[in-house]
Amino acid sequence: MFVVRKQIMIDKIKEFKPSSWAIDNKITVYLITIVICIVGIMSYNSLPKESFPDITVPTIYINTINGGNSPTNIENTITRPIEKRLKALSGVKKFTSTSLQDVSIIVVEFNTSVKVQVAKQKVKDAVDEARADLPQVLTREPMIKEIAFSEMPIMYINIAGNFDLKDLKKYAEDLQDRIEAMKEINEAKIIGALDREIQVNIDMYKMQAAQLTLTDVQRAIGSENISLTGGNVPLNGMKPTLSIKSEFKNPKEIENIVVTSAAGAKLFIKDFAEVKDSYKEKESYSSSKGKNVITLNVVKRAGENLIDASDKIYKIIEEMKLRQFPKGLDVTVSGDMSEKTRVTLHDLINTIIIGFILVTLVLMFFMGVTNALFVAMSVPLSMFIAFMIMPGIDFSFNMIVLFAFLLALGIVVDDAIVVIENTHRLFDNGKRDIKTAAKMAAGEVFLPVFSGTITTLAPFIPLAFWGGIVGKFMFFLPITLIISLLASLFVAYIINPVFAVGFMKSHSEEAKGQGKLTRKAQLQLIVYAVIAACCYVSGHVGFANFIVFLGLFLIVNRLWLYKAINF
């Protein structure tokens, strides 16, 4: 009769089916945990790392140049006609215009709900409509460009030395080609270099005496400097393409061009003009310690890893210094954004690790060492799951995401605390079977814990719909928190019960290993030492330090700390 009643009682225990399945399939859950750790670490290493989220603001920049005009003329002939068309656009939040000598600048800011490409196309259409009202001949047609944070240079590479600017430009172009070949880099713009220009300096008096005009000269040069495709020519059953290449290879060729006027006058260009191989007027300047300098402004491609890009660029510079650049050529880097990003990320990661250690220590004094470690597992596992999801939603690893993890540090352990403590209570120091206790514990507290997690998440959900530029920045915070807390729920009900069944012991069993380093503990320390050494050699110093901490903690806990906890 007694056995029958016990069987009836066991059959009627309250269970949470997913937790019970996990407890009955421990090996599968162990493998899932290992996969989560490996894939999570790999995802963390591959995530783009940057200071702030790479957000795109729908702000469009219009720049128009018409030389020889005062600000008033620019305002009346260019700025106002374009503004008139822009006022009719939908979704525009505001626009500001500036009219300067020879230049008109208009910045159009759209509402954040408008996509950048849509905003840019709207502005293009408006400028095209206004083109009929603008001066017929402009020095440069309106240039339309979106303003993006990702287009800010991540570093400035300065190439200096006692060399001619022409030689410095050659070295800068070689470095530019190597850097722009990187998948992380969008462009490397050269500043302070000389641009080649072939000048035809005409003697107006001689030209007029020969009854020639500037149009005659322009037409003659243009007709000689051509590259055309003449079509296909049948030849031996094939049709090769006939091409005409008559481009200038030497400035001297221009001097021998014959110019014919409408009146029939003919003259060589060298008879009334000087052809000079020179450079354009400099529009940008760069100097360092009195030496000639050319600067490369390096712009990262959106969504790529800033730190990896910086490391690769430094490697390219060192390689070219050894193999290609001459002695005396100084290549320095300034304004490297990766330095600040690297320091900030490392500081925040260290803060998270210290916070994790403190959380674990606090739990130990209230739950015991073993139970505290079960609970503390939920912190890295929840983060690993979040790392796995982040690439799929185009999240980068930035300060906002790290702040979210820091905020979630003390929250993600709540679910595990309730489940593990309830399991330990029902286990009752071995009076009840651990599998039964784990199943009962998960079933009893599932609804309260689930409702508590949902109420914790609820205040963060509206933050995900925050509008404006600030909302785009803060979007990463609530989403990261929501993913981490939902991941902690999965860990608390699927992974924690399995580890509790496998490793939870009664107080008497735990006491047997205290006060000394058992053979099992010594083997564990050897494993820690090997892992830490491998990490130090491979450059993963942070993880190696964490492993060393675990080893030291094992020794301290076994020999001294257990007394304070049990006290």
Side-chain angles (χ1 to χ4, degrees):
M1 181 65 70
F2 175 76
V3 175
V4 174
R5 286 180 181 174
K6 185 176 181 181
Q7 184 65 42
I8 292 172
M9 183 177 67
I10 293 174
D11 290 340
K12 289 184 178 180
I13 65 173
K14 190 175 182 180
E15 295 183 40
F16 178 56
K17 296 297 183 183
S19 297
S20 299
W21 174 88
I23 292 168
D24 293 333
N25 298 272
K26 293 193 296 182
I27 302 300
T28 302
V29 176
Y30 289 146
L31 291 174
I32 291 173
T33 305
I34 294 172
V35 169
I36 288 174
C37 293
I38 295 173
V39 177
I41 293 172
M42 292 173 62
S43 298
Y44 166 77
N45 290 330
S46 64
L47 279 172
K49 296 174 180 64
E50 48 197 7
S51 295
F52 295 100
D54 183 16
I55 67 170
T56 306
V57 181
T59 302
I60 310 300
Y61 170 87
I62 309 170
N63 179 279
T64 311
I65 298 177
N66 196 19
N69 286 271
S70 66
T72 304
N73 288 340
I74 293 291
E75 172 79 16
N76 294 328
T77 60
I78 296 177
T79 304
R80 286 185 178 176
I82 295 178
E83 285 180 343
K84 184 179 178 182
R85 301 292 179 175
L86 293 174
K87 288 178 181 178
L89 297 181
S90 60
V92 175
K93 183 178 180 181
K94 67 175 182 178
F95 61 82
T96 58
S97 62
T98 305
S99 298
L100 305 170
Q101 180 73 29
D102 304 334
V103 181
S104 169
I105 300 172
I106 302 176
V107 179
V108 187
E109 183 180 343
F110 285 80
N111 295 322
T112 53
S113 58
V114 181
K115 293 184 178 179
V116 175
Q117 295 305 319
V118 174
K120 188 174 181 180
Q121 188 58 49
K122 285 184 176 183
V123 172
K124 279 185 176 181
D125 294 341
V127 173
D128 289 342
E129 291 176 7
R131 185 63 184 88
D133 302 328
L134 303 181
Q136 194 170 13
V137 179
L138 294 171
T139 304
R140 190 178 72 188
E141 292 293 321
M143 181 184 70
I144 301 168
K145 191 176 182 181
E146 70 269 18
I147 298 175
F149 291 104
S150 61
E151 294 188 359
M152 296 179 62
I154 62 170
M155 65 169 60
Y156 304 93
I157 304 174
N158 308 300
I159 302 172
N162 295 318
F163 297 89
D164 187 81
L165 278 174
K166 186 177 180 180
D167 295 330
L168 286 178
K169 183 182 179 183
K170 181 181 179 300
Y171 300 136
E173 287 175 342
D174 292 341
L175 182 57
Q176 180 188 37
D177 292 340
R178 290 287 303 274
I179 292 174
E180 288 186 341
M182 295 168 50
K183 68 180 182 65
E184 294 90 354
I185 301 302
N186 186 28
E187 69 169 340
K189 187 177 180 181
I190 295 179
I191 303 296
L194 296 174
D195 293 324
R196 190 183 183 191
E197 180 180 72
I198 308 300
Q199 298 176 357
V200 180
N201 300 320
I202 297 173
D203 187 326
M204 294 297 295
Y205 298 107
K206 290 182 179 180
M207 185 180 70
Q208 290 173 0
Q211 297 182 335
L212 297 174
T213 64
L214 289 174
T215 305
D216 295 332
V217 178
Q218 184 179 4
R219 183 173 60 249
I221 295 175
S223 61
E224 292 290 334
N225 189 42
I226 57 174
S227 180
L228 297 174
T229 301
N232 298 323
V233 179
L235 181 65
N236 298 328
M238 302 175 65
K239 290 186 177 181
T241 301
L242 180 64
S243 61
I244 302 171
K245 294 183 178 180
S246 181
E247 296 178 345
F248 297 133
K249 296 180 176 60
N250 192 311
K252 293 294 182 182
E253 296 178 17
I254 301 176
E255 295 180 344
N256 297 319
I257 294 174
V258 177
V259 183
T260 305
S261 70
K266 293 183 179 181
L267 211 64
F268 288 107
I269 286 181
K270 63 183 178 182
D271 294 333
F272 60 88
E274 178 191 8
V275 179
K276 189 177 180 182
D277 189 353
S278 184
Y279 298 96
K280 290 182 179 179
E281 183 180 352
K282 292 184 67 173
E283 296 180 352
S284 60
Y285 296 87
S286 184
S287 64
S288 175
K289 300 177 182 178
K291 297 180 181 179
N292 290 331
V293 176
I294 290 179
T295 301
L296 284 176
N297 292 357
V298 182
V299 179
K300 181 179 71 72
R301 197 181 302 277
E304 295 294 339
N305 195 320
L306 171 61
I307 294 176
D308 284 352
S310 176
D311 291 341
K312 289 181 181 179
I313 289 173
Y314 277 107
K315 188 176 180 181
I316 289 173
I317 292 173
E318 290 302 319
E319 180 183 335
M320 294 188 74
K321 279 183 177 180
L322 292 173
R323 299 182 180 180
Q324 190 169 345
F325 290 157
K327 292 183 178 180
L329 186 70
D330 298 327
V331 183
T332 58
V333 176
S334 59
D336 186 1
M337 291 177 60
S338 69
E339 293 180 0
K340 183 178 179 181
T341 302
R342 200 188 307 267
V343 171
T344 303
L345 291 178
H346 283 177
D347 288 346
L348 285 172
I349 291 171
N350 288 336
T351 303
I352 290 174
I353 293 174
I354 293 170
F356 166 70
I357 293 171
L358 292 175
V359 167
T360 306
L361 289 175
V362 170
L363 290 171
M364 284 178 180
F365 285 97
F366 291 95
M367 303 181 67
V369 175
T370 306
N371 292 345
L373 292 176
F374 292 151
V375 172
M377 278 175 51
S378 60
V379 175
L381 288 175
S382 299
M383 289 186 177
F384 288 155
I385 293 173
F387 292 154
M388 292 166 59
I389 296 173
M390 284 168 65
I393 55 177
D394 292 330
F395 269 34
S396 62
F397 201 67
N398 52 66
M399 287 179 59
I400 307 298
V401 171
L402 280 170
F403 276 126
F405 281 132
L406 193 58
L407 185 60
L409 196 61
I411 305 176
V412 294
V413 297
D414 291 349
D415 300 344
I417 288 174
V418 177
V419 173
I420 293 299
E421 181 58 30
N422 199 37
T423 302
H424 190 267
R425 180 184 64 82
L426 294 173
F427 179 46
D428 197 17
N429 283 326
K431 294 180 181 178
R432 180 181 273 113
D433 176 54
I434 184 60
K435 290 184 68 173
T436 304
K439 291 180 180 180
M440 290 176 64
E444 285 181 1
V445 299
F446 171 71
L447 284 178
V449 170
F450 181 75
S451 60
T453 303
I454 296 302
T455 53
T456 304
L457 291 177
F460 296 105
I461 294 175
L463 290 178
F465 301 96
W466 192 352
I469 298 176
V470 176
K472 286 196 170 187
F473 270 101
M474 297 306 296
F475 175 78
F476 291 79
L477 179 68
I479 297 301
T480 304
L481 276 169
I482 290 170
I483 293 172
S484 300
L485 292 179
L486 291 178
S488 72
L489 200 63
F490 170 81
V491 173
Y493 281 97
I494 301 299
I495 297 177
N496 281 142
V498 173
F499 278 84
V501 168
F503 301 100
M504 185 175 285
K505 299 176 182 178
S506 62
H507 293 315
S508 58
E509 288 181 280
E510 286 186 356
K512 293 178 182 178
Q514 304 296 350
K516 59 183 178 180
L517 290 176
T518 62
R519 183 175 179 80
K520 184 177 179 181
Q522 292 173 3
L523 290 173
Q524 194 172 348
L525 288 172
I526 293 172
V527 172
Y528 284 161
V530 172
I531 295 174
C534 293
C535 290
Y536 279 124
V537 171
S538 61
H540 295 83
V541 179
F543 190 71
N545 290 339
F546 181 67
I547 297 297
V548 170
F549 167 78
L550 291 179
L552 293 175
F553 176 78
L554 175 63
I555 297 173
V556 172
N557 176 61
R558 289 275 183 166
L559 299 180
W560 301 288
L561 187 61
Y562 76 97
K563 297 177 182 178
I565 294 174
N566 293 332
F567 178 80

